[in-house]
Amino acid sequence: SDKHVHLREIPGRMLAVLTFSGNIEMPKTLDEKSIVLRALLEKDGIKPISGDEKTVLAGYNPPWTCE
């Protein structure tokens, strides 16, 4: 157990997801991928629920990259 790791419960919700590889630490990446995802949703006639349009970024590093 690591004192820097904290768990919190997040209520269930429906999300749209776009997978990609690359550097997620660059703000430009988040902006670009958010635009792509929103365009794909719009093309399919899907609109975000009003008031819940925030982009959330989740990343993953495979275990062999951790030191």
Side-chain angles (χ1 to χ4, degrees), residues 1-64:
S1 64
D2 185 328
K3 66 181 180 181
H4 297 101
V5 175
H6 303 277
L7 300 178
R8 65 184 171 112
E9 189 170 338
I10 299 174
R13 59 191 174 187
M14 181 86 59
L15 301 172
V17 178
L18 177 69
T19 60
F20 64 93
S21 60
N23 186 348
I24 65 170
E25 295 182 15
M26 298 184 65
K28 184 178 178 184
T29 300
L30 178 56
D31 292 341
E32 289 173 352
K33 299 305 179 183
S34 180
I35 290 168
V36 169
L37 178 58
R38 289 174 189 278
L40 290 169
L41 292 172
E42 186 176 317
K43 178 183 169 194
D44 287 343
I46 301 171
K47 289 186 175 186
I49 297 171
S50 180
D52 196 21
E53 295 141 5
K54 179 180 168 189
T55 300
V56 176
L57 178 65
Y60 169 79
N61 287 330
W64 57 86

